[in-house]
Amino acid sequence: MMTGNLQGVGGVRLGEILVKQGLLSFAEVNQVLETQKSQGKPFGVLAERLFGLDPRAVESAWVTQYAQLAGEVDPEQFRIDPSCIRLVNRRQAWQFHIAPVAREDGEIVLLTDEKHLAKALRFAAATFKEPTFFRIVRSEQLQDFLMQHYPVPEFLAQFAATR
């Protein structure tokens, strides 16, 4: 059962984020958790169904959860694998704010920023046959990285930043 403590063991839980955002109460989170035990469905799906949460709100909370768990990294820490860079073209990199940079433990490491994580995840799920792992970088760092590896005219980069 969830208590007044919003910090979960091993990270922040989706229900805790939704409570902090004022979208669910503690009682509603507990109801979702109880339903989850019997139905085995994802927390967000049940919260949408039971309490009419907008799927975009659940997705936004998930992005917040992932970003808090993953933390931000510096793109300079990666040894860039040119074969990974070639996995997406310039348009895809800028449209989906995504940069495949390396392979680690059989997974493609993808960079994106928190703002574009959901969009990048949908693209990756539809595009890559290999397992992927996202690392979050600051938006400015992602812009710089994309400009370095997928150069476009400055006005296009500025336009992409607003999307």
Side-chain angles (χ1 to χ4, degrees):
M1 292 297 238
M2 194 166 161
T3 65
N5 180 4
L6 292 177
Q7 180 60 42
V9 175
V12 178
R13 294 185 176 103
L14 189 60
E16 295 166 346
I17 293 169
L18 292 167
V19 167
K20 283 183 180 179
Q21 293 175 342
L23 298 172
L24 289 179
S25 68
F26 286 115
E28 289 168 333
V29 168
N30 285 328
Q31 187 175 341
V32 172
L33 292 171
E34 288 301 314
T35 303
Q36 194 175 33
K37 286 179 188 175
S38 63
Q39 295 187 13
K41 301 227 183 275
F43 185 94
V45 169
L46 293 173
E48 290 170 19
R49 192 183 79 212
L50 292 172
F51 299 106
L53 286 185
D54 185 326
R56 291 173 297 198
V58 173
E59 182 176 85
S60 174
W62 174 83
V63 166
T64 299
Q65 178 189 40
Y66 190 96
Q68 287 179 4
L69 291 172
E72 286 185 351
V73 297
D74 182 348
E76 298 296 321
Q77 83 178 51
F78 294 96
R79 186 165 161 228
I80 306 303
D81 179 344
S83 70
C84 289
I85 294 291
R86 290 189 297 270
L87 290 173
V88 298
N89 63 38
R90 183 178 311 164
R91 179 196 58 80
Q92 292 167 325
W94 284 96
Q95 180 178 351
F96 297 101
H97 300 271
I98 193 168
V101 294
R103 284 187 172 82
E104 290 181 4
D105 301 322
E107 297 178 316
I108 301 170
V109 177
L110 303 165
L111 302 182
T112 193
D113 59 6
E114 185 174 343
K115 176 181 175 185
H116 298 100
L117 178 58
K119 183 195 297 193
L121 177 68
R122 286 189 294 274
F123 171 78
T127 303
F128 300 111
K129 291 181 178 33
E130 297 174 67
T132 59
F133 181 75
F134 279 91
R135 299 307 306 252
I136 307 299
V137 299
R138 288 193 341 267
S139 295
E140 305 80 36
Q141 290 176 308
L142 182 62
Q143 292 282 333
D144 291 346
F145 188 90
L146 292 177
M147 195 59 112
Q148 180 182 356
H149 295 279
Y150 304 97
V152 296
E154 186 63 36
F155 76 93
L156 286 178
Q158 289 175 358
F159 177 74
T162 65
R163 300 280 167 224

